[in-house]
Every structure is written in C-alpha cells, then in structure tokens.
Amino acid sequence: ESNMSNTVPLFNGDQMPLVGYGTWKLPKDKCAESVELAIQKGYKAIDTACDYGNETFVGEGIRNAIEKGYASREELFVTSKLWNTYHHKEHVLPACKKTLEDLGLEYLDLYLIHFPLCLKYVDFEERYPPEWLVDPNAEKPEMVIDPVPLRETWEAMEQLVELGLVKHIGVANFSNQLVMDLLTWAKVRPSVNQVEMHPYLQQKYVINYCQKKDIVVTAYSSFGNLSYKSLDGFKIAHETENVFDNAILQSIAQSHNKTVAQVILRWQVQQNVTVIPKSQNEGRIEQNMDIFDFELSDDEITQIKTIDSNIRFNDPGWYAGYPIFD
C-alpha cells in the first residue's frame, strides 16, 4: 500500500478523492452497472451533470452499490453541474432539485456551474436535458444567449448550501480572471474549478492560481482528444496525435511498468489535481485507480512539460460562437 494520500483537502478541511469516476458519454444502458462496478472497485467520487442525460442511471448505480455494501452515502463524493439554461436565480434551486431527484439523493457533495455561459431557459417539461440549442427541431436550430450576471447565479448557488442540498459549490471552465472577480464578493467560496487538462493543455496558470487560493482543480478530458473523436465536427480531435501514442509518455510508462493513461493520471494527481476518468472496461476502471504506488521524478515531469501545446478541445468559441477562453 502506498503512503500517498488519495484525497485532497477542500478549503474547509473536507476531503475530496483524487480519483473519481467520470460519467460523460456513458451510454444509458451501461451506465448503472458501470457506476456500481466503479464503486465496487473502490472509487469514492462520482462526477456527473444534468447535461449528460444519464443522472437517473448514475443514481441507480449509486443506490445499488450502497445496497450491496460497497460504500455508504457518507463515504461517497458526488458531483453534479448546473446547466447553461438555468443561470437565472429562480431556476437554480429547481435545477438542483431535479438533479437530486434523478440521482435519488438528498444532497450533493459538490455542485458546479458547468460553463460561464448563459443560454435561454428551456422548461423541464419541454426538454430535459435541454443541451445547447433552444429548439433542435427548428428549421435553423440556434443557440440563444440570455445573459445573467455571474453574481445572480452564484448567490442562488450559495442558497443551496444554506438549504443543506449541497455541501460545496464550485465552477467549471472558468478562467482565472472570472475566479478572481468571484472571490471579491462571494459569501461562500468556490471549492473547485473543473477544467479541461491533459498533456497538450497543461493549465499551469489555472492550477497555480486556484491552488494559491485554496481552490481544488479537477481535470476533465485527461486523455485529451480521445474524448472528442466521436463528436460531430471536432476536427481538431482527429488532427491531434493520440495522447497514448506520444513517445515521451510511452517511454515514461515503460520505465514504471504502467500504461500511458496511468502516467497521465499520476502526473495530474501528483499536482494535487483531482481526476475523473471514464471507462466501461473493468480492467481499465481498476488501472485508472491504481496510480498511488509509483511517483514521477522531477526529470519525468520536466519531459511532460515539453508536450504542452495549448490545444483545447472543449472550446465553445468555435462550436457555440461563445469565446469564453479568449
């Protein structure tokens, strides 16, 4: 057993597991069993979102795992996210309650603002999850922006904490500048900023700044372009070298007798960045957790730094005309 801790403290001392199980793009028919299996294999954190459209199945997996004694609710750390259509203050509480109802939970450990981006409200009855387009069946489907000040949304998020529905609140896809502003007036501080991070987008400045402010960084898409190849229009995902084929990462992996995936996850958790890899394969579900029995040397970390090429795959600037990162 490694002496390396597998959790990281949030600002109030609560512990967040360094490795969680991600559920984006988990097919509905495999979702419950995959989540249950992950918990059985020792995952304590589950990361989901309204937008993934599978929260009822994620909830089923959590419930089955608890019933079988793999973990208690108190041992689990469940994260979900407020979608872009629910940023007006009157929609935040209903959106959170809908997520809780779908998951079958009484509280969330962490609730994030999914994007700093507000879309026109779509009623639950009309379509859920609403995704990006206001009317997908229109002749020319479009995304309709409905601006809401961040403070309005955040104050409604703070109320969720007061109501006991959520233990921690945080953000995702936020630049340092947005976080700086938020910290000047927030009553409840953000516990986490979840951002895209992989060897091609290393996020040095986000990590440095957030950690200095006691905000935990969670990495999503740890394996870079592999998450995006199946999505329409993500040309850049096909043009970029697969991160698993990178020669530097391969040689580091060989020297530790680990996979490239394990090296990437180790590189992230070694920076106290939490990770949420997704897999449906039992072997890889186990491997993605098995990163606490080795350490990357300073020299290896320096080598990984040379791969950074500022390639961002999840950029609403091009697919939604909303350049939040520029």
Side-chain angles (χ1 to χ4, degrees), residues 40-112:
Q40 184 185 354
K41 297 290 179 190
Y43 285 75
K44 295 286 185 276
I46 305 291
D47 180 272
T48 186
C50 148
D51 185 55
Y52 304 164
N54 56 13
E55 287 193 316
T56 47
F57 305 100
V58 171
E60 192 185 322
I62 292 172
R63 210 156 40 249
N64 294 343
I66 290 173
E67 275 168 19
K68 291 179 185 170
Y70 301 147
S72 66
R73 171 64 187 99
E74 294 65 44
E75 290 173 301
L76 295 176
F77 190 99
V78 182
T79 300
S80 185
K81 309 177 192 84
L82 176 80
W83 187 238
N84 309 339
T85 47
Y86 309 128
H87 282 215
H88 283 280
K89 58 175 181 278
E90 65 272 21
H91 298 146
V92 173
L93 176 61
C96 179
K97 282 183 162 166
K98 171 88 172 113
T99 276
L100 286 170
E101 184 189 337
D102 285 352
L103 288 168
L105 297 177
E106 286 172 20
Y107 68 91
L108 292 170
D109 297 275
L110 176 64
Y111 196 45
L112 307 176

Side-chain angles (χ1 to χ4, degrees), residues 23-318:
T23 62
W24 179 44
K25 297 197 310 173
L26 259 191
K28 292 179 181 176
D29 58 339
K30 294 280 189 299
C31 187
E33 62 189 273
S34 298
V35 168
E36 181 186 330
L37 178 67
I39 297 171
Q40 184 185 354
K41 297 290 179 190
Y43 285 75
K44 295 286 185 276
I46 305 291
D47 180 272
T48 186
C50 148
D51 185 55
Y52 304 164
N54 56 13
E55 287 193 316
T56 47
F57 305 100
V58 171
E60 192 185 322
I62 292 172
R63 210 156 40 249
N64 294 343
I66 290 173
E67 275 168 19
K68 291 179 185 170
Y70 301 147
S72 66
R73 171 64 187 99
E74 294 65 44
E75 290 173 301
L76 295 176
F77 190 99
V78 182
T79 300
S80 185
K81 309 177 192 84
L82 176 80
W83 187 238
N84 309 339
T85 47
Y86 309 128
H87 282 215
H88 283 280
K89 58 175 181 278
E90 65 272 21
H91 298 146
V92 173
L93 176 61
C96 179
K97 282 183 162 166
K98 171 88 172 113
T99 276
L100 286 170
E101 184 189 337
D102 285 352
L103 288 168
L105 297 177
E106 286 172 20
Y107 68 91
L108 292 170
D109 297 275
L110 176 64
Y111 196 45
L112 307 176
I113 296 180
H114 205 143
F115 280 96
L117 194 163
C118 322
L119 299 178
K120 190 170 166 19
Y121 176 68
V122 177
D123 193 80
F124 295 157
E125 300 301 309
E126 192 180 324
R127 196 170 68 254
Y128 190 89
E131 303 190 314
W132 292 85
L133 303 169
V134 71
D135 178 8
N137 304 315
E139 204 170 307
K140 283 193 179 152
E142 55 177 356
M143 201 183 81
V144 178
I145 301 298
D146 181 10
V148 181
L150 174 57
R151 186 166 189 163
E152 176 179 326
T153 308
W154 191 257
E155 285 173 350
M157 296 282 283
E158 291 176 332
Q159 275 185 312
L160 303 175
V161 178
E162 274 170 52
L163 292 167
L165 298 176
V166 171
K167 294 201 167 174
H168 291 267
I169 48 179
V171 295
N173 301 300
F174 268 46
S175 66
N176 282 342
Q177 182 60 55
L178 269 177
V179 174
M180 285 173 202
D181 187 64
L182 174 59
L183 289 175
T184 61
W185 47 260
K187 287 198 191 71
V188 179
R189 340 170 13 107
S191 295
V192 168
N193 186 9
Q194 184 179 125
V195 296
E196 178 180 343
M197 179 197 171
H198 42 75
Y200 300 146
L201 182 70
Q202 298 194 8
Q203 297 282 23
K204 168 176 85 171
Y205 295 111
V206 171
I207 294 166
N208 288 350
Y209 177 72
C210 286
Q211 290 184 345
K212 221 168 35 207
K213 294 293 179 192
D214 278 332
I215 297 167
V216 168
V217 175
T218 298
Y220 72 76
S221 301
S222 295
F223 308 140
N225 53 333
L226 298 176
S227 309
Y228 297 92
K229 286 193 140 179
S230 62
L231 302 179
D232 280 352
F234 280 73
K235 219 169 66 196
I236 184 168
H238 296 275
E239 291 165 357
T240 310
E241 178 186 47
N242 276 356
V243 79
F244 293 160
D245 298 334
N246 181 277
I248 290 174
L249 295 173
Q250 284 182 342
S251 89
I252 294 172
Q254 273 165 350
S255 67
H256 289 281
N257 202 15
K258 291 283 184 183
T259 65
V260 170
Q262 288 171 313
V263 167
I264 293 171
L265 296 172
R266 176 71 218 167
W267 163 69
Q268 293 179 325
V269 303
Q270 213 167 295
Q271 302 178 66
N272 275 330
V273 167
T274 65
V275 296
I276 45 173
K278 178 209 84 174
S279 177
Q280 289 163 247
N281 171 295
E282 183 169 346
R284 284 194 292 272
I285 286 176
E286 288 177 352
Q287 282 174 357
N288 288 342
M289 274 231 91
D290 182 22
I291 56 172
F292 294 100
D293 60 352
F294 75 109
E295 212 165 340
L296 299 173
S297 68
D298 292 348
D299 177 54
E300 288 168 331
I301 284 173
T302 304
Q303 289 177 50
I304 295 173
K305 279 187 181 146
T306 67
I307 307 170
D308 197 358
S309 35
N310 205 24
I311 296 176
R312 188 189 294 279
F313 298 104
N314 190 353
D315 185 355
W318 73 261

